[in-house]
Amino acid sequence: MKKEPFVTNEQLKKIVKEYPTPFHLYDERGIRENAQALKEAFSWNKGFKEYFAVKATPNPFLINILKECGCGCDCSSLTELMLADALHFEGENIMFSSNTTPAEEFQFADEIGAIINLDDFTHIDFLEKTIGHIPETISCRYNPGGVFKISNSIMDNPGDAKYGFTTEQLFEGFKVLKEKGARHFGIHAFLASNTVTNDYYPTLAKTLFETAVKLKEETGADIRFINLSGGIGIPYRPGEEPNNIRVIGEGVRKVYEEVLVPAGMGDIAIYAELGRFMMGPYGCLVTKAIHEKHTHKEYIGCDACAVNLMRPAMYGAYHHITVMGKDNSVCDHKYDITGSLCENNDKFAIDRMLPKIDMGDLLVIHDTGAHGFSMGYNYNGKLKSAEILLKEDGSTQLIRRAETPKDYFATFDCFDILKDMKER
């Protein structure tokens, strides 16, 4: 599959006249079409709901688009809960999945009626002491340990993950929660990240469905939902075959019919907490080539850096790069594409074959719609960039302004740096 930007060179030239680079750009049409495809893929399940993983892209304008498409919010912190609450998501439209959770976060989640997804057996007593009761509806995160395989391929290693109840803890936890007043239950698991295979969700679903049947038999718990969480990935590299969400939905349906329906559990709702799949391909980082360096290697320096997109520096992650206006040119130049941080890993690409890049060329770094802006930071005093929405009618909307030095210095209460600079 060829990687092509969702924005044309002509559109981008107009956008940069209004908004200076770097910035993150999002595709409203793509977001809406993808959300609709997910909804259709699981339409066989009456209670299906996607709880968008807010951590992936915590922008209220984008979350509101998903809200209009029927999505809820999956939150992992107090500020994410506050954002969901401010956007008028109510009660069971908010899932609170956290770990090592501070008391005030459980308190606020309970106040707004969010479904609390417990990460650990010891959190049962902690939650009860914190809020004074156990909610009637509650979920537990399951970690079966070991390695997670699809056929003979190892997908991930849950046994090394810090998250979730063991099998024994899950069964005991349901019994304890039931004794303490819980009436309705959910099960949640996340066993592999960024899978590009249509088999992940059905395989995970089989594990959770079989566990749910045993839980009902042994504890008598009223299991209302099974949360398949995230893990459906996107193809970052050209040539990779993308997941087919309709094939995935049909795969889960078959397992549902094979396992849950015969056990008299055919009314259980299926939930998802997708972030990357919902937003990743529908965002890009737009940056400009501002320097070139000819030393032991050929370098192109950009006005963006790892502050704007840290995945390549942090994980060595691949993000495709399009040199706008030169997408049909021969890729006969080998470059390291770098930012300006005082860190040698501040590189968007290493030894990447690209067309000749001239100063002033616009580069589009693909698939930054999830875990792009949201993982930004302020090392070297760098400021976070703007976020812009490319609307369905082709117009643009500023949905987060770029940070300014005033923002950076705002938490220094002891002195006014900007005032001192003016007085010198």
Side-chain angles (χ1 to χ4, degrees):
M1 184 184 72
K2 186 179 179 182
K3 284 280 188 183
E4 295 182 348
F6 56 78
V7 61
T8 67
N9 191 37
E10 290 70 27
Q11 284 177 307
L12 202 54
K13 284 180 178 179
K14 292 179 181 178
I15 294 171
V16 298
K17 288 180 180 178
E18 185 173 1
Y19 305 106
T21 55
F23 53 79
H24 283 271
L25 184 68
Y26 301 93
D27 175 21
E28 180 181 7
R29 184 184 301 278
I31 293 168
R32 289 187 184 276
E33 290 177 352
N34 188 54
Q36 181 62 28
L38 174 67
K39 189 175 180 179
E40 291 173 2
F42 285 89
S43 60
W44 55 266
N45 183 260
K46 186 177 178 180
F48 175 77
K49 194 169 194 66
E50 152 67 4
Y51 289 83
F52 173 65
V54 174
K55 59 181 171 287
T57 321
N59 186 294
F61 291 89
L62 301 176
I63 294 171
N64 262 337
I65 291 173
L66 294 178
K67 185 182 183 185
E68 292 170 8
C69 296
C71 300
C73 282
D74 167 54
C75 302
S76 60
S77 68
L78 178 61
T79 48
E80 290 181 3
L81 286 169
M82 292 171 68
L83 177 57
D85 185 51
L87 292 173
H88 305 294
F89 286 88
E90 296 179 353
E92 293 190 356
N93 285 315
I94 304 173
M95 186 74 62
F96 182 48
S97 300
S98 63
N99 66 95
T100 316
T101 310
E104 60 269 22
E105 299 193 2
F106 275 141
Q107 289 169 345
F108 188 71
D110 183 60
E111 286 174 16
I112 63 176
I115 299 173
I116 293 174
N117 183 33
L118 292 176
D119 179 67
D120 184 65
F121 184 84
T122 65
H123 289 181
I124 297 173
D125 284 341
F126 183 80
L127 176 65
E128 185 178 36
K129 291 174 183 176
T130 297
I131 65 175
H133 67 281
I134 292 295
E136 285 193 359
T137 298
I138 197 158
S139 177
C140 294
R141 182 168 184 166
Y142 177 43
N143 183 339
V147 295
F148 181 73
K149 293 183 178 181
I150 296 178
S151 298
N152 293 319
S153 299
I154 295 176
M155 304 302 293
D156 217 324
N157 192 349
D160 280 346
K162 68 176 182 175
Y163 309 106
F165 289 59
T166 66
T167 302
E168 295 76 14
Q169 289 172 340
L170 185 67
F171 280 76
E172 181 63 21
F174 268 49
K175 293 175 184 176
V176 171
L177 286 164
K178 194 176 177 186
E179 290 170 0
K180 290 179 178 291
R183 296 179 57 193
H184 311 301
F185 292 82
I187 310 171
H188 170 287
F190 180 91
L191 301 185
S193 179
N194 194 39
T195 63
V196 187
T197 167
N198 295 328
D199 295 328
Y200 170 63
Y201 250 24
T203 304
L204 172 63
K206 189 172 190 296
T207 297
L208 290 181
F209 294 170
E210 290 174 346
T211 301
V213 171
K214 292 178 184 177
L215 279 165
K216 183 180 179 181
E217 290 173 350
E218 294 189 22
T219 70
D222 176 25
I223 299 173
R224 291 290 181 90
F225 64 86
I226 293 175
N227 191 336
L228 302 178
S229 66
I232 297 179
I234 61 173
Y236 285 97
R237 294 177 181 271
E240 289 182 339
E241 191 69 24
N243 286 312
N244 185 324
I245 196 61
R246 289 179 172 82
V247 172
I248 291 169
E250 177 61 15
V252 175
R253 186 196 65 78
K254 287 181 179 178
V255 180
Y256 190 97
E257 297 286 343
E258 291 168 4
V259 179
L260 292 180
V261 172
M265 301 171 71
D267 58 349
I268 286 180
I270 300 300
Y271 293 165
E273 289 176 359
L274 299 168
R276 191 192 316 261
F277 178 80
M278 299 303 292
M279 287 285 190
Y282 313 109
C284 63
L285 175 60
V286 180
T287 182
K288 184 183 295 182
I290 59 172
H291 286 289
E292 55 185 336
K293 186 173 184 178
H294 316 286
T295 54
H296 305 290
K297 302 181 76 173
E298 293 294 303
Y299 295 95
I300 296 294
C302 300
D303 56 5
C305 62
V307 162
N308 309 108
L309 176 66
M310 73 181 299
R311 293 187 73 255
M314 186 175 185
Y315 304 123
Y318 180 96
H319 281 265
H320 195 64
I321 296 175
T322 295
V323 184
M324 296 302 287
K326 298 181 178 179
D327 43 319
N328 293 320
S329 301
V330 178
C331 295
D332 55 358
H333 284 63
K334 184 187 290 188
Y335 293 116
D336 281 14
I337 308 297
T338 79
S340 59
L341 292 186
C342 298
E343 292 288 341
N344 196 46
N345 66 352
D346 180 23
K347 297 178 179 180
F348 296 116
I350 297 173
D351 294 334
R352 185 76 58 87
M353 297 304 297
L354 292 166
K356 184 180 184 302
I357 297 176
D358 297 302
M359 296 305 91
D361 280 350
L362 294 174
L363 309 184
V364 164
I365 303 178
H366 293 244
D367 301 317
T368 70
H371 311 293
F373 180 95
S374 65
M375 294 179 72
Y377 56 112
N378 290 114
Y379 183 58
N380 277 181
K382 296 291 185 178
L383 304 174
K384 295 179 184 177
S385 60
E387 292 182 292
I388 299 164
L389 180 64
L390 178 61
K391 304 185 80 170
E392 290 184 287
D393 63 5
S395 64
T396 55
Q397 180 182 1
L398 182 67
I399 58 175
R400 191 193 302 263
R401 65 167 175 80
E403 285 185 335
T404 67
K406 185 177 181 180
D407 296 318
Y408 181 80
F409 295 124
T411 53
F412 292 106
D413 292 331
C414 52
F415 56 94
D416 190 335
I417 292 177
L418 295 177
K419 180 182 177 182
D420 291 344
M421 289 176 64
K422 290 177 184 178
E423 290 177 349
R424 288 180 181 175

